[in-house]
Amino acid sequence: MPVLTVKGTNVREALLHARQALGDHAVVVSRMDTPSGTVIAVAPEVPRSPQALEALRHEARRLLGRPQAHASQVGTREVERCLGRAGASRQLTERTCEAVAGRLAEGLHPLDLAAEELSVAFPVAQLKRRRGVKTVLALVGTAGAGKSTTAAKLAGRMQAAGRTTALVTIDLDRPGARAQAATNGRTMGVPVAPAREASRVARLFEAEPSLDCVVLDMTGRPEHDLEQLEGLRAALLQSPVEVDLVVLGVLPMTSSRRAQERFLGQVATASLDAVVVTKTDECDVPAPTLELCSERRLPVAFLSNGRDLGKNLRRATGEALADLILRGRVA
Ligand SMILES: Nc1nc2c(ncn2[C@@H]2O[C@H](COP(=O)(O)OP(=O)(O)OP(=O)(O)O)[C@@H](O)[C@H]2O)c(=O)[nH]1
Ligand SMILES: [Mg+2]
């Protein structure tokens, strides 16, 4: 008969969880109090023989009978060290260590427990595609944030996923910008369309029915780009083609917190749908950027971890964010 460990902030809560997990016939075999609550070992039903009872007790002792104080100290110390290295705030460190300490009886490695806790600590974007609806992914960010690089990577990714994609850039005046777009488009096998006004994207969809997705690279001048986005929104509303506009903020991990906050303030009216965190490979302290996203309830959609257009873009998942914090890199 299997024995499960179930935790709660108090005995009553642990018992409720046990009932939810194993039903009304669950029996408590053993109990252990921890700094953050109670862990109980439960079996699905009353054992039928003294031997079965002894086997259950043995298993419960194995599950709960760890040298708790020692394990808790050693375990959370390692987690604390990792989080410190990642630049995590005191609140995040305390919250994670407390959760890990409360789960040590589960028998997993403390860093794995920390990874589980961190994997649900930050919002992750669920960019859902509506059936029959086309998509514009518009990238806003400060100069040099990684917009053009990310735009090319995203366009390549969409194309590879079977969506007929174009890369549109409204960054036409900066020297070298057109050439960069053309080279990136060639590298990714995606056509590039320069446009003075973002609103032209609406007409592109109308003129080219097979076009399914546009990745829109912008200038890096927030005021100008916000105005352009408004123009595009208005044009899409008028258009007979149904298109979802997804606005992605490009947030380099290498920028200071103050610069990141300033940017988010500048684009507040654009109501970002999500962010792409770039340059994760050049930053040793990933936690502050992710904590800022969490504070602002900004879901992370992608992580850019290098210059290689074909390789260095990952979909953000809870596990990837936890890896970034605990291991310093995207797995
Ligand atoms: N290491 C690293 N470099 C990156 C990453 N993303 C972009 N870069 C580099 O950052 C620099 C700026 O990238 P761009 O994509 O041109 O940035 P941008 O936001 O379009 O810049 P502007 O158009 O000038 O505003 C380039 O040298 C890129 O190769 C990344 O994830 N990691
Ligand atoms: Mg650019």
Side-chain angles (χ1 to χ4, degrees):
M1 198 185 304
V3 178
L4 277 188
T5 56
V6 184
K7 68 170 184 169
T9 50
N10 52 40
V11 181
R12 191 180 142 73
E13 197 182 283
L15 289 170
L16 274 173
H17 290 162
R19 183 192 279 169
Q20 280 162 2
L22 293 178
D24 287 343
H25 298 292
V27 289
V28 177
V29 185
S30 186
R31 163 187 162 183
M32 181 177 69
D33 291 315
T34 70
S36 61
T38 297
V39 185
I40 53 176
V42 281
E45 58 188 23
V46 177
R48 297 221 174 93
S49 67
Q51 290 84 356
L53 175 62
E54 192 41 48
L56 285 186
R57 284 194 175 136
H58 178 78
E59 177 63 359
R61 269 198 302 276
R62 193 184 70 74
L63 288 170
L64 296 181
R66 288 164 189 281
Q68 183 65 20
H70 176 69
S72 145
Q73 274 171 7
V74 173
T76 57
R77 215 181 290 139
E78 206 173 342
V79 172
E80 204 175 333
R81 212 170 24 240
C82 276
L83 288 169
R85 220 172 24 224
S89 67
R90 194 161 51 82
Q91 292 92 316
L92 179 64
T93 306
E94 280 179 7
R95 201 166 4 112
T96 310
C97 286
E98 200 175 301
V100 168
R103 293 182 55 190
L104 286 171
E106 291 175 26
L108 291 177
H109 191 284
L111 284 177
D112 290 336
L113 291 171
E116 278 187 25
E117 295 295 330
L118 289 168
S119 72
V120 291
F122 306 102
V124 167
Q126 307 287 340
L127 299 179
K128 296 256 166 64
R129 179 182 172 193
R130 291 192 297 145
R131 193 199 298 235
V133 179
K134 298 165 189 269
T135 313
V136 180
L137 299 175
L139 297 169
V140 290
T142 50
K147 297 176 299 297
S148 302
T149 306
T150 305
K153 290 173 179 175
L154 280 173
R157 190 185 175 96
M158 292 295 165
Q159 187 96 299
R163 304 186 65 176
T164 306
T165 302
L167 183 56
V168 174
T169 176
I170 60 162
D171 189 14
L172 304 181
D173 297 330
R174 192 173 53 79
R178 282 176 191 245
Q180 183 192 19
T183 308
N184 285 351
R186 250 195 323 276
T187 307
M188 303 312 287
V190 176
V192 176
R196 211 27 76 209
E197 303 289 327
S199 58
R200 269 221 32 218
V201 168
R203 264 178 278 146
L204 274 184
F205 280 117
E206 287 160 27
E208 186 50 74
S210 67
L211 183 63
D212 188 31
C213 176
V214 163
V215 180
L216 176 62
D217 184 16
M218 308 195 82
T219 67
R221 289 180 278 129
E223 246 174 54
H224 175 77
D225 289 345
L226 292 193
E227 212 178 289
Q228 289 291 316
L229 278 178
E230 278 320 298
L232 173 57
R233 260 187 226 287
L236 291 175
L237 276 176
Q238 304 275 315
S239 172
V241 183
E242 208 182 349
V243 182
D244 275 340
L245 172 60
V246 178
V247 183
L248 298 172
V250 179
L251 201 58
M253 214 168 225
T254 44
S255 291
S256 67
R257 164 117 185 174
R258 192 193 282 191
Q260 292 176 342
E261 282 181 337
R262 194 183 322 123
F263 162 66
L264 293 178
Q266 283 167 334
V267 296
T269 55
S271 33
L272 301 183
D273 291 285
V275 293
V276 180
V277 177
T278 57
K279 310 196 184 187
T280 64
D281 55 311
E282 289 192 340
C283 177
D284 295 329
V285 282
T289 304
L290 299 182
E291 287 192 69
L292 177 62
C293 293
S294 175
E295 280 164 35
R296 301 293 174 95
R297 299 190 197 292
L298 268 176
V300 183
F302 293 96
L303 298 168
S304 166
N305 59 336
R307 294 181 158 87
D308 191 315
L309 299 185
K311 287 194 193 137
N312 296 140
L313 187 74
R314 296 271 181 287
R315 190 86 175 79
T317 59
E319 289 71 23
L321 300 184
D323 260 0
L324 192 53
I325 289 199
L326 291 173
R327 297 182 223 281
R329 62 189 151 75
V330 183

